Amino acid sequence: MVKASHAQPAIDVLVMVLITSLLVSPALADLPATNARSLADNRTNSSTSGATASEATAKTREIERVVQDLVRSHLPELTSVLKQLRTVQPSAYELAIKDLFKAARKLELAEKRDQRLFEIEVELLQAEYQASLLMAKLKVRDSESDRRKLREAATRLQQAQISRTEYDVDIFRQRLQRAQKQLDSAVTRLESRKNDADAQLEKSYQTMLRKAGRDVPRRDSETQRSRPAKIQPNPKSSIPPSTSKTR
C-alpha cells in the first residue's frame, strides 16, 4: 500500500531551501548552472563505490529525468525552486532529487495498481506541497493573505487524507467480502464432509487398498446383490395327480 506521506521528506527539504532562497542574495542566485553541475558531479563521483563515472552519470541523469517528469506533470511550482537549489546548494539538491524520485516511483506503482489510488496520491502530494510552501512563506514573513491561503491548503490536505482513508476502507471491505465468500464455501465443504463421512471413509479406504494391490472386500449388501437368486417352486405350475376313475 502506498503511504499518504510518501513525499513529506522531499517537501521538508524544499521548504528549508525555499526559506534560504527567499533570503539569498541575487548575485548568489545567478551563479552559472555549470558550476553547480560540476559540484554535483564531484559529489556523485566521490560517493560511488567502485562504479565508473559514466555509469554514475547515466544513473543520475535517469533519476533527474524521472523527477523532472514528476515536477512538470504535478508540481510545476517546484521547477524554479529546484533550479535555484541546484545552483546554490548542490548537496541539498541531490537529497531533494532522491526523495522526489522515491515519490515518483510510488506514484508509478499506484497508477499501475489503481487509477483512483493514483489520483488520490497526486492530490495528497500537491496538497502537502502547497501547505508546506505557505508555511515557508509565513516563516519568512507574516501575511494575512498567506494565513487564509494556508487554511485553504489545510482544508485541501485534510480532504485528500479523508479520500485516502475512504479508499483504504473500500479496499478492506472488498477483501472482507471475498473472505466471507471463502468462509461460506469452506463451511459448506465442512458440513458436506461431516454428513457424508462414512461413505467418504469407505471410499478412501478402498482406494488405498487398490493402490496397495489388494482385493477390496465387498460389503454384505453388495455380496447379497451379486449372488444368483434361488428358484422357488411354483405350486400352481405342478401337475396334480390324475383322479379320474376307470370305468
Side-chain angles (χ1 to χ4, degrees), residues 25-64:
S25 64
L28 184 58
D30 292 335
L31 284 176
T34 53
N35 292 339
R37 181 69 190 197
S38 177
L39 291 173
D41 288 344
N42 290 337
R43 181 178 178 85
T44 301
N45 292 336
S46 62
S47 62
T48 54
S49 301
T52 63
S54 59
E55 290 175 346
T57 301
K59 183 177 180 180
T60 301
R61 288 177 179 174
E62 174 62 18
I63 292 175
E64 288 181 336

Side-chain angles (χ1 to χ4, degrees), residues 196-207 209-210 215-227:
D196 199 27
D198 292 340
Q200 291 294 333
L201 175 60
E202 185 62 26
K203 182 178 180 181
S204 177
Y205 171 65
Q206 292 182 8
T207 300
L209 283 176
R210 291 191 183 95
D215 294 336
V216 178
R218 295 183 178 182
R219 292 180 295 181
D220 294 340
S221 58
E222 294 179 351
T223 304
Q224 291 294 335
R225 287 196 301 268
S226 63
R227 290 178 180 175

Side-chain angles (χ1 to χ4, degrees), residues 45-135:
N45 292 336
S46 62
S47 62
T48 54
S49 301
T52 63
S54 59
E55 290 175 346
T57 301
K59 183 177 180 180
T60 301
R61 288 177 179 174
E62 174 62 18
I63 292 175
E64 288 181 336
R65 183 193 64 78
V66 173
V67 171
Q68 288 171 2
D69 290 342
L70 171 70
V71 172
R72 181 172 55 254
S73 300
H74 306 300
L75 298 171
E77 301 90 345
L78 281 183
T79 302
S80 60
V81 177
L82 287 175
K83 286 182 179 179
Q84 189 170 2
L85 179 59
R86 181 178 180 181
T87 302
V88 177
Q89 297 185 24
S91 59
Y93 170 80
E94 290 181 7
L95 180 59
I97 289 296
K98 180 180 178 181
D99 290 333
L100 285 171
F101 177 74
K102 292 179 181 179
R105 287 307 188 198
K106 289 185 177 181
L107 283 181
E108 181 181 355
L109 293 175
E111 187 175 20
K112 291 179 179 180
R113 176 181 171 186
D114 187 348
Q115 182 63 27
R116 177 189 169 195
L117 175 62
F118 171 73
E119 293 172 357
I120 292 174
E121 289 295 330
V122 170
E123 178 65 14
L124 270 172
L125 178 65
Q126 294 174 340
E128 288 171 351
Y129 169 72
Q130 182 184 24
S132 297
L133 174 64
L134 290 167
M135 285 188 292

Side-chain angles (χ1 to χ4, degrees), residues 94-219:
E94 290 181 7
L95 180 59
I97 289 296
K98 180 180 178 181
D99 290 333
L100 285 171
F101 177 74
K102 292 179 181 179
R105 287 307 188 198
K106 289 185 177 181
L107 283 181
E108 181 181 355
L109 293 175
E111 187 175 20
K112 291 179 179 180
R113 176 181 171 186
D114 187 348
Q115 182 63 27
R116 177 189 169 195
L117 175 62
F118 171 73
E119 293 172 357
I120 292 174
E121 289 295 330
V122 170
E123 178 65 14
L124 270 172
L125 178 65
Q126 294 174 340
E128 288 171 351
Y129 169 72
Q130 182 184 24
S132 297
L133 174 64
L134 290 167
M135 285 188 292
K137 288 183 177 180
L138 286 171
K139 279 181 177 292
V140 177
R141 180 175 53 255
D142 196 0
S143 167
E144 287 298 327
S145 176
D146 287 339
R147 285 173 178 256
R148 289 193 299 270
K149 292 178 181 179
L150 181 60
R151 177 173 289 276
E152 294 174 358
T155 301
R156 180 187 181 186
L157 178 58
Q158 182 186 55
Q159 185 56 52
Q161 292 169 340
I162 290 174
S163 298
R164 184 63 171 86
T165 304
E166 288 176 343
Y167 175 86
D168 291 339
V169 170
D170 290 342
I171 294 298
F172 288 139
R173 282 175 176 167
Q174 293 174 11
R175 292 176 180 175
L176 182 60
Q177 291 175 356
R178 290 195 295 267
Q180 186 62 50
K181 290 181 179 179
Q182 293 174 350
L183 175 61
D184 294 342
S185 178
V187 170
T188 301
R189 292 196 304 271
L190 176 61
E191 294 298 329
S192 176
R193 285 183 178 276
K194 286 182 176 180
N195 295 334
D196 199 27
D198 292 340
Q200 291 294 333
L201 175 60
E202 185 62 26
K203 182 178 180 181
S204 177
Y205 171 65
Q206 292 182 8
T207 300
M208 293 177 183
L209 283 176
R210 291 191 183 95
K211 288 183 177 180
R214 299 301 178 184
D215 294 336
V216 178
R218 295 183 178 182
R219 292 180 295 181

